[in-house]
Amino acid sequence: QVQLVESGGGLVQAGGSLRLSCAASGRGLSAYVMGWFRQPPGKKREFVVSINWSGDSTLYAASVKGRFAASRDPANNTVNLQMNSLEPEDTAVYYCAARGLFSNQWHDWGQGTQVTVSS
């Protein structure tokens, strides 16, 4: 089991940037794939990006590709999400998640952090 705590959300104007962080703790973190999801107001939660623990493999949703960048900070067991060129449609609660390397089920979730992009 992995414990996840997100930080870095806030209010930003369209075109601006925000950086989210997810602090992970637990045993065997290198065996997990980390992900970011988001839930816009009134909508279902959706996939944003996944990144393996070594940071050399990422998969982005088409809606954020080229604007968002995931990375990891091994010294701090942290996974980051740099969000640039933000749009009002990016407004959502952003969640960090973890799954086993050979699993397709995201089983550990953070509490979420609010990102609001004003037009």
Side-chain angles (χ1 to χ4, degrees):
Q1 188 173 6
V2 181
Q3 291 76 45
L4 304 168
V5 179
E6 303 97 333
S7 61
L11 173 65
V12 64
Q13 289 189 330
S17 298
L18 276 177
R19 183 178 177 87
L20 305 183
S21 293
C22 173
S25 59
R27 299 177 65 179
L29 291 177
S30 61
Y32 290 90
V33 175
M34 307 299 294
W36 286 97
F37 290 74
R38 66 186 183 185
Q39 186 166 15
K43 297 184 179 181
K44 293 181 179 180
R45 187 157 52 190
E46 61 187 28
F47 170 81
V48 175
V49 62
S50 63
I51 181 170
N52 65 346
W53 196 248
S54 62
D56 58 2
S57 178
T58 54
L59 178 66
Y60 292 91
S63 59
V64 306
K65 197 170 186 179
R67 299 188 299 123
F68 290 12
S71 62
R72 60 177 293 266
D73 178 356
N76 295 300
N77 283 342
T78 299
V79 176
N80 302 308
L81 182 64
Q82 179 66 41
M83 305 185 296
N84 300 323
S85 301
L86 284 162
E87 304 167 351
E89 293 73 24
D90 295 316
T91 294
V93 178
Y94 282 72
Y95 297 91
C96 182
R99 64 170 174 83
L101 190 59
F102 302 107
S103 171
N104 61 2
Q105 185 172 4
W106 298 90
H107 48 73
D108 294 306
W109 295 85
Q111 82 286 354
T113 185
Q114 177 70 46
V115 171
T116 303
V117 184
S118 63
S119 57

